[in-house]
Amino acid sequence: MRAEDSATAHKSIAIAEPGPLSRTLSDRRGTALAATGVIAFSLTFPATAWALEGLGAWSATALRMALAGLLAASTLWFAGARRPARRHWPALATVGGGVVLGFPLLTTLALQTSSTSHAAVVVGLLPITTAAYNSWRHGIRHSTLFWAAAVAGALLVGGFALWESGGGLTTGDLFLFGALLVCAAGYGEGGRLARELPGWQVIGWPLAVALPFAVCAALVALSLEPAEPTLRTVAGLAWLACGSQWLGLVVWYRGMSVIGVGRASQLQLAQPLLTLVWSVVLVGEHLGPLAPVAAVGVLACIVVTQRSGSPAQRSPATPADTAPTAGTTPTAGTAPAAATERTAPEAGAGSPEGRHRERKVESNIDAH
């Protein structure tokens, strides 16, 4: 089989079962990529606070999308990326609605009335929400130990953030809870899609498609909202577009495709604590004495989730999930389909067709 109409470049090789050392190295690489994304995301709230010093919420969000969309569209054009297959677009739309538009807009609106430390509570709840969404949507089963550590970490981070903010609910909490839900959906669908498309295309295509709308929205918002940009405003906006919205998500989705959505999402338990540190250094907010205690507890939860074992599918994949439809060719990430075909029931193994199929089974691996 050869990929002639795929969104990425492929080369065809015979299937080989990876050894323990190869899987370990792959897991470490995926964890490092996802952790890099978390570090980039931890600067999002402080950067948003900087941007809001000279821009309105709608202007900051639209300009962030427009600049990131320009980077994404340029990268797709220079790389000669092919248009994704039709079956990829529903997941890409979810990524666009949740990660490109929903989360940035809702958190920016929330930060108009909430401090960065209070807003960090939504990030503390995001890992378990993402894991729960992935479990519900894609039938992924995690161990009891995984869920126990995830719930403990979420409660610890949520309680710490609420304690640091005085324990009171603000009018921005509804925006934060909405951001939590749409971002979990975007992470869940994007993480699965990154097994078939490179991470930079998973976030790149939604940003590129949204670019014309973002430019129009930015022009309208700037005409209606006051704008007095300062150096910190420009720096914050630049990081939101380049770091949080583009480069951070590129490595994040790539990491998720390697170690799984559930395990990658638990790395975000460290994000609120990093955000609190940045809020002190960059925004000048006060950080209480409980931060070291919370940091140790969160790191312990992360270690447990990362060592809890690989998740399992709730039920066998259907033929629609494991085989290409008529008239299409497999894309990267369809190795499970090839493996299923190779280990098919032995009833036809002795037939000429069965022997021919065994000789021809190949797996397409994307060149990232």
Side-chain angles (χ1 to χ4, degrees):
M1 293 182 288
R2 296 188 180 277
E4 298 176 353
D5 188 23
S6 173
T8 58
H10 301 85
K11 61 182 180 179
S12 185
I13 66 172
I15 296 175
E17 182 68 21
L21 178 59
S22 176
R23 288 193 295 268
T24 300
L25 293 176
S26 179
D27 281 353
R28 290 179 178 176
R29 178 172 176 268
T31 300
L33 288 170
T36 302
V38 169
I39 294 174
F41 300 153
S42 70
L43 284 161
T44 298
F45 286 168
T48 302
W50 277 17
L52 289 176
E53 292 180 2
L55 295 171
W58 293 91
S59 299
T61 303
L63 287 172
R64 167 183 176 171
M65 290 176 55
L67 293 174
L70 183 60
L71 288 172
S74 300
T75 303
L76 291 169
W77 185 78
F78 280 114
R82 296 183 181 181
R83 185 177 179 179
R86 181 179 300 178
R87 62 190 178 86
H88 294 147
W89 284 105
L92 289 171
T94 304
V95 172
V99 179
V100 174
L101 176 61
F103 188 82
L105 176 60
L106 292 173
T107 53
T108 302
L109 292 172
L111 285 172
Q112 288 185 305
T113 57
S114 300
S115 65
T116 57
S117 58
H118 183 83
V121 69
V122 73
V123 181
L125 298 175
L126 184 56
I128 189 173
T129 307
T130 303
Y133 174 86
N134 198 47
S135 193
W136 165 74
R137 178 68 174 84
H138 301 294
I140 302 299
R141 293 187 303 174
H142 292 283
S143 66
T144 303
L145 180 61
F146 175 95
W147 286 113
V151 171
L155 291 176
L156 179 60
V157 171
F160 173 68
L162 285 175
W163 179 272
E164 286 295 309
S165 63
L169 296 179
T170 68
T171 55
D173 285 325
L174 289 178
F175 291 129
L176 294 174
F177 289 131
L180 173 71
L181 296 176
V182 297
C183 191
Y187 280 172
E189 296 300 325
R192 297 277 295 186
L193 187 57
R195 298 179 179 180
E196 302 185 40
L197 297 176
W200 59 275
Q201 291 193 27
V202 171
I203 185 60
W205 283 108
L207 282 170
V209 171
L211 177 58
F213 305 98
V215 171
C216 294
L219 294 175
V220 173
L222 288 171
S223 66
L224 298 177
E225 293 180 329
E228 298 179 358
T230 64
L231 183 59
R232 295 207 332 171
T233 301
V234 175
L237 188 62
W239 178 258
L240 289 174
C242 300
S244 300
Q245 194 78 67
W246 177 233
L247 296 177
L249 285 168
V250 168
V251 296
W252 172 247
Y253 279 127
R254 180 56 183 158
M256 292 178 87
S257 71
V258 176
I259 64 175
V261 175
R263 289 179 61 194
S265 67
Q266 299 314 300
L267 291 173
Q268 283 195 304
L269 287 169
Q271 183 175 329
L273 299 175
L274 291 173
T275 299
L276 291 172
V277 172
W278 298 130
S279 70
V280 172
V281 175
L282 302 176
V283 186
E285 294 185 1
H286 174 70
L287 188 63
L290 292 180
V293 177
V296 173
V298 167
L299 290 176
C301 292
I302 291 175
V303 170
V304 173
T305 58
Q306 296 303 302
R307 296 181 178 276
S308 61
S310 301
Q313 288 283 355
R314 180 174 301 157
S315 58
T318 62
D321 293 329
T322 58
T325 56
T328 64
T329 55
T331 59
T334 55
T340 301
E341 186 179 4
R342 170 168 283 185
T343 57
E346 297 179 359
S351 65
E353 180 181 357
R355 291 192 300 270
H356 177 73
R357 183 165 58 249
E358 286 187 5
R359 290 193 302 267
K360 288 295 185 180
V361 170
E362 295 175 329
S363 171
N364 292 318
I365 296 182
D366 58 332
H368 296 291

